[in-house]
Amino acid sequence: MRAEMVAGAKLARTGIPFDFGRRNGATEPDLVLRGMDLAIEVKARRLDGVQGLRDELAAALTGITPPVLVELRTDSQLLGIKADVRAKVVEKTVQRARSQNFGTAVTEVDQPWSARKRFLLHVGIRQAADLTSGSRIIVTGGFWGNEPGPHLMDVENEVLATLEDEQKLRQANTQPTILLFDAARTGMAWIRPQPVWAQRLAMRLPDTTPFVGAAVMTPTLDDPDVGISLGVRKNLSDQDRAAVDELARRLGLTGV
């Protein structure tokens, strides 16, 4: 809902009239643009594998005394960690914390669906003299060394996978529709420049999708506005192309 409000504010700020689509089972996109024969369907997804593991570890370590400090570090950014893998890491870490088994344990995480098939997860445990405030879990590393490519490929795949969502497809088939993906909390999507996102979306958008285009936005908490990167299908009809061009012009997008 927040993503829809951000997109609606963007439209309102540029003077584009719209209506929110009907709810309660109605097959209608989220934002219907008035007088443009065009609509926007919004998708938002939070994907951060390390953060999810951190939250589970924090809950599991509550009450363990004496307290320990746990450091999480991966050799690449993970969009997700499977539930069974997280459960094993949490169980092993709790056992080590209870026995004061300090040091670092390394777990190999296999993800055959990822652009990078195997990751290394380092879990370090150290003695903590005073943890009356603050977190027991720290995440270090943050990035993936000098190889952002595989991670951003995974993010692209998550965006494009939404094009196959059955509910989204039903909505796209009702009228010309752009899929707008809020990627602010989808891995490190925000690190890619907006023009590059637009180029990649246009390059990978399949001609067979009913969506006229796909876009990515990465709203932040310190800016009321949001940038949008839009890629469109190559085989648009003249009518759909005119509508997209008009929307891009009014939003101030270039190179569409």
Side-chain angles (χ1 to χ4, degrees), residues 41-82:
E41 177 63 21
V42 180
K43 173 70 173 181
R45 193 168 184 203
R46 178 185 183 272
L47 289 172
D48 189 331
V50 176
Q51 184 62 41
L53 176 60
R54 179 188 179 280
D55 293 342
E56 293 187 19
L57 276 172
L61 292 171
T62 300
I64 292 181
T65 56
V68 297
L69 186 65
V70 176
E71 178 187 6
L72 293 179
R73 179 170 57 87
T74 63
D75 61 346
S76 184
Q77 188 78 11
L78 288 81
L79 285 182
I81 301 175
K82 293 177 67 174

Side-chain angles (χ1 to χ4, degrees), residues 163-176:
L163 298 173
E164 304 299 325
D165 182 276
E166 291 186 5
Q167 179 184 356
K168 304 299 184 188
L169 287 172
R170 288 195 298 270
Q171 291 163 326
N173 282 317
T174 62
Q175 63 187 108

Side-chain angles (χ1 to χ4, degrees), residues 54-246:
R54 179 188 179 280
D55 293 342
E56 293 187 19
L57 276 172
L61 292 171
T62 300
I64 292 181
T65 56
V68 297
L69 186 65
V70 176
E71 178 187 6
L72 293 179
R73 179 170 57 87
T74 63
D75 61 346
S76 184
Q77 188 78 11
L78 288 81
L79 285 182
I81 301 175
K82 293 177 67 174
D84 60 335
V85 176
R86 294 198 310 271
K88 289 179 181 178
V89 171
V90 170
E91 181 182 9
K92 183 177 180 180
T93 304
V94 169
Q95 291 174 351
R96 292 174 58 210
R98 290 187 186 280
S99 62
Q100 298 286 286
N101 183 8
F102 301 130
T104 300
V106 181
T107 299
E108 289 188 356
V109 181
D110 293 322
Q111 299 202 56
W113 62 87
S114 172
R116 181 174 176 178
K117 308 303 181 186
R118 179 171 295 178
F119 301 83
L120 295 179
L121 173 62
H122 301 252
V123 182
I125 299 180
R126 291 181 285 182
Q127 188 172 11
D130 181 15
L131 279 178
T132 55
S133 63
S135 175
R136 289 173 176 253
I137 317 293
I138 59 173
V139 178
T140 61
F143 292 96
W144 44 80
N146 296 318
E147 300 180 357
H151 174 70
L152 290 175
M153 182 66 71
D154 288 345
V155 176
E156 283 182 14
N157 291 339
E158 289 293 335
V159 174
L160 294 173
T162 309
L163 298 173
E164 304 299 325
D165 182 276
E166 291 186 5
Q167 179 184 356
K168 304 299 184 188
L169 287 172
R170 288 195 298 270
Q171 291 163 326
N173 282 317
T174 62
Q175 63 187 108
T177 301
I178 293 171
L179 173 70
L180 177 59
F181 194 101
D182 180 348
R185 298 192 300 169
T186 306
M188 308 292 287
W190 54 267
I191 201 171
R192 173 179 279 175
Q194 292 180 21
V196 178
W197 260 119
Q199 294 167 7
R200 291 294 301 175
L201 291 172
M203 182 184 305
R204 297 195 59 192
L205 194 64
D207 292 341
T208 54
T209 180
F211 288 94
V212 300
V216 164
M217 66 176 183
T218 52
T220 62
L221 296 177
D222 59 349
D223 189 346
D225 199 6
V226 62
I228 292 179
S229 303
L230 172 63
V232 298
R233 232 176 47 218
K234 296 182 178 66
N235 57 343
L236 290 183
S237 67
D238 292 342
Q239 181 178 357
D240 289 346
R241 166 54 74 174
V244 170
D245 286 347
E246 174 64 12

